[in-house]
Amino acid sequence: MENFHNRKDITNTRPPRGFTDIFRRELGFSHPNAFARRFSASEVLVKNMSLYGKLDGHEGCVNAVEFNSTGDLLVSGSDDRQVMFWNWASKTRLFAYASGHTDNIFQTKIMPFTDDCRIVTSAGDGQVRLGLLREDGIVDTAMLGKHQGCVYKLAVEPGSPYIFYSCGEDGFIQHFDLRSSSATKLFCCSSVRNNKQPPSKIGLNSIVIDSRNPYYFAVGGSDEYARVYDIRKCQLDSTRNSDQPVNTFCPHHLIGSNNVRITGLAYSSFSELLVSYNDELIYLFEKSVGLGSSPSSATSEDLKNIHEAQVYSGHRNAQTIKGVNFFGPNDEYVLSGSDCGHIFIWKKKEAKLVRLMIGDQHVVNQLEAHPHIPILATCGIEKNVKMWLPLGSDMPPLPANVKEIIEANRQGREDRSRVTLSPDVIMHVLRLQRRQTLEYIERGHSRADIVSDDEDAEGYLLGFLDGDASSDEDSPRNSRDCNIS
């Protein structure tokens, strides 16, 4: 009878799907290519993501990471104004060059089909620059264009070795063609609250191109709307262009809000738009649930007929200009960093949190997926890039105190939501928080001084609270300081 019960328990225990896929492939029931894609999306692999290694070499916070098209190289940009190329597999730096920027680098992009020899960068100095790697190993740099204020993001036209776009805090979207000698300002993004108020500039933090339909690009910044534009309606003469979008996206409850802004955008391979809000949540919009070109004219009845977006919660996005991204061969997962120092991974469809990893002593900002295999690169306040692979681990996918971490992040969001701030004030508060965070780090209050990197790490991260907004406004800004982005 005891053996019978043991056999019954075994029968009722289903193997993880990933191992089932391996079994089917070995028996010839699954095509190798189909197997690779399904297995790469397996929750088993995601739950076994572990730290593979750190890429050390930068002397400032790392704000940007990107793989090349084949995935064998990684490029990074930092507050030290250096651009570095890495062989991530061997954890070695191949070469570095001075970008020519006078402030912190926020974006690095390798232009496709250029043999990884053309790198475009943007920074806090408003410049957009090109790095050209010559055959003798020397890198020539040149300024391609300039914004007033920071330029956090660039967007490269899929498959083009020449064309890309930038967006800046000045509200302008610029078009670049490396075959020409100058950039073109397409238009300035603006918002009209009502007919009595003049248009107000929207400072932009993020720009992405829909790879499924490269004519469309989305931008987000200092208000609640993600705006989608059609490049075919934009002439390369800014005097003839309007900033009328073809579609806009916003969660219903945030329409009319004055104290939120967008920090990160990402398009999936199915044209879904992922939007991350400052001190709010992350939302996934299908392309059919937009508010149209003029959201201010949408009626309450119109909103009732539009399905709400999928919501991803648990993280905290308050202190920095955080990115957001997809993961998996068919974008099965959603990724975000957090002010609590963790990397959050949710299943896209169910919005279920499946993995929570410590990614930084302070804040995780950017996450970049390998173009072909389940590998992840992340960066944040620390002066390195971290590589994550499904190596297997004895650690549970969710730590024992996951509820406490999520609750602390939620409480922080609610405390902030009680205060109504204008977009300009929000930007000012963020800069003050950045200064206080840097001062905190520079005083030597690192996690290593308080707890070990192992058992007590979670408890420390829970205690890393927001800085007070009443920092000294007269303190000088050092452009070499770590710019949280």
Side-chain angles (χ1 to χ4, degrees):
M1 183 63 70
E2 182 178 353
N3 290 337
F4 172 80
H5 285 299
N6 290 339
R7 290 175 60 85
K8 184 177 180 181
D9 291 340
I10 293 173
T11 303
N12 290 337
T13 302
R14 298 183 62 185
R17 180 175 177 179
F19 297 106
T20 303
D21 287 340
I22 295 175
F23 181 72
R24 288 176 57 81
R25 183 195 64 175
E26 294 303 308
L27 293 180
F29 295 152
S30 175
H31 191 276
N33 290 339
F35 161 79
R37 296 190 69 83
R38 282 200 306 271
F39 191 66
S40 295
S42 168
E43 194 171 321
V44 173
L45 290 187
V46 174
K47 288 182 175 180
N48 281 280
M49 294 292 287
S50 300
L51 182 63
Y52 171 70
K54 300 177 182 179
L55 308 181
D56 294 306
H58 281 292
E59 296 181 358
C61 304
V62 183
N63 304 315
V65 288
E66 191 200 28
F67 291 96
N68 65 347
S69 59
T70 58
D72 57 334
L73 298 178
L74 186 80
V75 64
S76 61
S78 166
D79 287 0
D80 61 12
R81 311 169 197 171
Q82 295 282 314
V83 176
M84 295 187 180
F85 271 78
W86 308 87
N87 181 329
W88 62 264
S90 63
K91 308 171 193 174
T92 56
R93 184 175 65 180
L94 300 178
F95 68 92
Y97 72 89
S99 64
H101 286 288
T102 60
D103 209 328
N104 311 324
I105 297 175
F106 290 132
Q107 182 79 92
T108 56
K109 287 285 187 181
I110 303 173
M111 297 301 292
F113 302 108
T114 62
D115 199 24
D116 304 328
C117 291
R118 290 183 179 179
I119 305 95
V120 290
T121 59
S122 65
D125 57 8
Q127 295 186 49
V128 177
R129 299 185 65 88
L130 171 68
L132 181 61
L133 177 61
R134 302 189 326 210
E135 291 184 0
D136 58 4
I138 302 298
V139 180
D140 295 327
T141 65
M143 187 176 75
L144 302 175
K146 196 173 190 328
H147 288 260
Q148 297 298 318
C150 297
V151 181
Y152 293 109
K153 291 295 179 182
L154 305 172
V156 177
E157 183 176 287
S160 173
Y162 306 110
I163 297 174
F164 69 96
Y165 302 84
S166 67
C167 68
E169 286 186 329
D170 57 2
F172 277 98
I173 298 163
Q174 295 195 29
H175 173 277
F176 295 84
D177 188 331
L178 296 181
R179 293 166 295 190
S180 66
S181 58
S182 62
T184 301
K185 290 183 178 180
L186 295 181
F187 56 85
C188 183
C189 187
S190 62
S191 174
V192 179
R193 290 293 180 184
N194 55 56
N195 294 330
K196 297 180 180 180
Q197 293 181 343
S200 59
K201 179 190 71 176
I202 302 299
L204 298 176
N205 299 321
S206 188
I207 180 169
V208 289
I209 296 175
D210 183 358
S211 61
R212 200 166 194 176
N213 189 345
Y215 292 119
Y216 291 101
F217 64 91
V219 297
S222 60
D223 73 352
E224 68 269 34
Y225 295 109
R227 295 167 170 81
V228 179
Y229 296 91
D230 188 340
I231 188 61
R232 293 169 296 186
K233 297 183 178 181
C234 300
Q235 304 294 324
L236 295 183
D237 177 4
S238 60
T239 61
R240 300 173 56 190
N241 292 330
S242 71
D243 66 330
Q244 184 73 15
V246 296
N247 209 347
T248 54
F249 296 89
C250 180
H252 297 175
H253 69 283
L254 292 182
I255 295 176
S257 175
N258 292 321
N259 59 345
V260 296
R261 65 192 185 106
I262 294 169
T263 68
L265 297 170
Y267 264 119
S268 76
S269 54
F270 302 98
S271 296
E272 302 156 308
L273 184 60
L274 194 62
V275 184
S276 180
Y277 283 89
N278 172 256
D279 228 351
E280 235 275 337
L281 304 178
I282 297 171
Y283 298 87
L284 179 69
F285 299 93
E286 297 180 6
K287 62 180 180 179
S288 59
V289 300
L291 300 172
S293 60
S294 181
S296 60
S297 62
T299 65
S300 57
E301 190 65 30
D302 294 333
L303 296 178
K304 289 179 181 179
N305 296 327
I306 298 176
H307 294 292
E308 282 284 8
Q310 181 68 274
V311 185
Y312 306 89
S313 63
H315 72 304
R316 182 84 192 280
N317 177 12
Q319 299 185 37
T320 67
I321 307 293
K322 285 185 186 63
V324 68
N325 218 331
F326 292 98
F327 187 68
N330 290 306
D331 301 330
E332 293 87 352
Y333 300 91
V334 169
L335 307 169
S336 178
S338 177
D339 291 349
C340 63
H342 286 88
I343 299 166
F344 283 72
I345 305 180
W346 300 269
K347 292 200 75 171
K348 185 180 76 172
K349 287 186 177 180
E350 298 93 344
K352 180 182 74 171
L353 183 65
V354 295
R355 190 74 170 101
L356 188 63
M357 307 178 290
I358 298 177
D360 195 280
Q361 292 184 12
H362 305 288
V363 182
V364 178
N365 290 322
Q366 304 296 333
L367 310 96
E368 187 73 16
H370 190 281
H372 307 298
I373 53 181
I375 291 174
L376 183 64
T378 66
C379 62
I381 302 303
E382 294 183 44
K383 300 175 183 180
N384 57 42
V385 178
K386 294 181 178 66
M387 302 301 304
W388 305 85
L389 280 69
L391 302 173
S393 172
D394 294 333
M395 297 293 293
L398 300 178
N401 63 339
V402 59
K403 292 183 179 179
E404 288 82 357
I405 295 171
I406 292 174
E407 176 60 23
N409 289 336
R410 184 195 66 80
Q411 188 63 50
R413 288 194 303 270
E414 289 193 354
D415 291 344
R416 181 69 63 84
S417 68
R418 298 189 182 102
V419 181
T420 301
L421 303 173
S422 69
D424 290 340
V425 174
I426 291 174
M427 289 296 295
H428 182 61
V429 170
L430 284 170
R431 292 189 181 101
L432 294 178
Q433 285 184 325
R434 182 198 66 206
R435 291 179 191 170
Q436 283 209 328
T437 301
L438 297 176
E439 291 171 0
Y440 181 89
I441 297 170
E442 290 170 357
R443 285 198 302 265
H445 296 288
S446 66
R447 181 173 63 176
D449 296 331
I450 303 174
V451 294
S452 69
D453 286 339
D454 300 320
E455 298 178 358
D456 298 326
E458 301 286 353
Y460 169 77
L461 290 166
L462 280 173
F464 188 74
L465 302 177
D466 288 343
D468 187 353
S470 60
S471 177
D472 182 8
E473 295 184 28
D474 296 327
S475 60
R477 178 173 183 266
N478 185 348
S479 63
R480 293 298 302 271
D481 284 345
C482 172
N483 194 334
I484 301 177
S485 63

